[in-house]
Amino acid sequence: MKPAPFAYVRPGTLDEVLTALGSGSAKVLAGGQSLVPVLAMRLGRPDTLVDINAVEELSSLTLTGDMLRVGATVRQRALEHSREVAAVPLLGLALPFVGHRELRSRGTVCGSLAHADPAAELPSVACCLGAVLEVAGPCGRRRVPAAEFFVGAMTTGVGPDEVLVAAEFPVAAEGEGFGFAEIARRHGDFALAGVAARVRRDAAGAVAEAVLTGFGISDRPVTRDVTELVRSAGGVADALREGTTDLAVDLVDTAGDAHGSPGYRRRLLAVLAARELARAARRAGAAPAPGAGP
Ligand SMILES: Cc1cc2nc3c(=O)[nH]c(=O)nc-3n(C[C@H](O)[C@H](O)[C@H](O)COP(=O)(O)OP(=O)(O)OC[C@H]3O[C@@H](n4cnc5c(N)ncnc54)[C@H](O)[C@@H]3O)c2cc1C
């Protein structure tokens, strides 16, 4: 199938992008790796595509203090191969799972967040880390916590006349460790189920915070504070299994599909969660926290 006819504009400034989005049924075009297939299958028929790739201010990747700011046109592969990605290890763990490298060389980080596929990796990273998403619209700019940004399958808090300008990911703190894993039918496919895990140890080496985000299991990423669970299991995978099995019953909220029933996804989530929380706990303990002594 071919897309329905559409107009194409390529503004040079953010103000011009917002003006173009305000007229008719326009859609932002970033990397085009999800939007173009949607158009080709006629699942969407916007009358105008607003290509944001010529807007200089959207192309920057900046490490400022405790945040890594990823502009709207930064490619997934550019981030994957950047020096800056080392500051946010969970991004480094997740990016190789996003489609294939050819897709990542065009697809943008913000495009993946704005597309909000429930089985996509980057939204789960944003939720697990508590990223902040900056949205610009006709009434100015607003900053939206990732937990409030994803409101359903392929649905976010970005209005039709707004643009996601940048995503800000917190830089890893001392004593933090991370885990990420997914099960897909083939590498590069969307996940049947996946997890992002973050564990922080205090200066004495005790688990101070543990967070788990599951994806591919509901209409959006689902995040839980699992500090007590990780603490009581001593961060050991086998000891975590009972708790993650109960957690999976609570988290998996899908009717299932031809690739996996809800029960199968619950089992995947329970196994992945136990393994990656244990891995994150080990990594959190790998580097001595400041003041922890020898
Ligand atoms: C075969 C195949 C396999 C894939 N596998 C995976 C996978 O395993 N995991 C995964 O996460 N993704 C996967 N993808 C999707 C890919 O990662 C896309 O790059 C990504 O989802 C969208 O990024 P994009 O820059 O290409 O956005 P586009 O395709 O340009 O846009 C996607 C949507 O987001 C909107 N949008 C984009 N940027 C903005 C913005 N700044 N502000 C507001 N709205 C915006 C667009 O209007 C559109 O609705 C796959 C795609 C294909 C074709």
Side-chain angles (χ1 to χ4, degrees):
M1 253 158 102
K2 297 273 185 262
F6 56 84
Y8 170 84
V9 293
R10 189 177 163 91
T13 68
L14 189 56
D15 282 347
E16 289 165 3
V17 167
L18 295 176
T19 304
L21 285 175
S23 53
S25 73
K27 269 276 182 199
V28 170
L29 173 69
Q33 300 304 296
S34 295
L35 182 56
V36 171
V38 162
L39 298 181
M41 290 186 276
R42 299 212 177 187
L43 296 172
R45 301 169 76 121
D47 58 26
T48 306
L49 294 193
V50 183
D51 184 341
I52 58 173
N53 288 286
V55 181
E56 187 66 36
E57 72 169 282
L58 301 182
S59 66
S60 58
L61 176 64
T62 34
L63 197 51
T64 46
D66 55 359
M67 284 288 177
L68 177 63
R69 186 178 165 89
V70 184
T73 59
V74 173
R75 308 292 167 197
Q76 294 152 5
R77 192 131 168 94
L79 177 59
E80 188 182 348
H81 288 276
S82 67
R83 258 187 304 118
E84 289 85 351
V85 77
V88 187
L90 191 54
L91 276 173
L93 294 174
L95 278 162
F97 287 96
V98 179
H100 306 277
R101 81 179 163 205
E102 294 79 4
L103 292 165
R104 296 197 295 275
S105 69
R106 287 301 303 165
T108 63
V109 174
C110 287
S112 174
L113 300 174
H115 190 57
D117 190 299
E121 292 80 7
L122 299 181
S124 76
V125 171
C127 289
C128 186
L129 295 181
V132 175
L133 308 173
E134 189 175 313
V135 177
C139 302
R141 295 197 186 208
R142 59 198 175 89
R143 292 167 60 77
V144 186
E148 294 166 21
F149 185 80
F150 303 100
V151 296
M154 315 288 190
T155 314
T156 69
V158 181
D161 55 356
E162 294 184 313
V163 61
L164 174 59
V165 169
E168 290 185 359
F169 297 89
V171 164
E174 288 283 347
E176 272 191 323
F178 304 90
F180 186 93
E182 69 176 40
I183 300 288
R185 294 186 67 214
R186 292 161 302 202
H187 183 81
D189 282 4
F190 280 102
L192 294 175
V195 296
R198 175 169 69 87
V199 173
R200 182 172 57 82
R201 291 186 186 271
D202 63 19
V207 171
E209 191 186 9
V211 176
L212 180 83
T213 300
F215 60 99
I217 52 156
S218 183
D219 66 348
R220 70 196 87 171
V222 198
T223 303
R224 289 285 185 279
D225 182 325
V226 289
T227 311
E228 279 315 314
L229 177 65
V230 176
R231 242 185 230 150
S232 58
V236 175
D238 286 347
L240 278 160
R241 267 305 295 280
E242 191 181 334
T244 57
T245 301
D246 291 345
L247 194 66
V249 172
D250 176 33
L251 295 188
V252 176
D253 171 25
T254 168
D257 53 30
H259 306 300
S261 64
Y264 177 60
R265 285 185 157 94
R266 270 184 218 113
R267 286 203 297 281
L268 290 183
L269 189 82
V271 172
L272 293 177
R275 201 176 75 195
E276 295 311 313
L277 283 168
R279 204 191 302 267
R282 270 198 314 277
R283 287 173 171 160

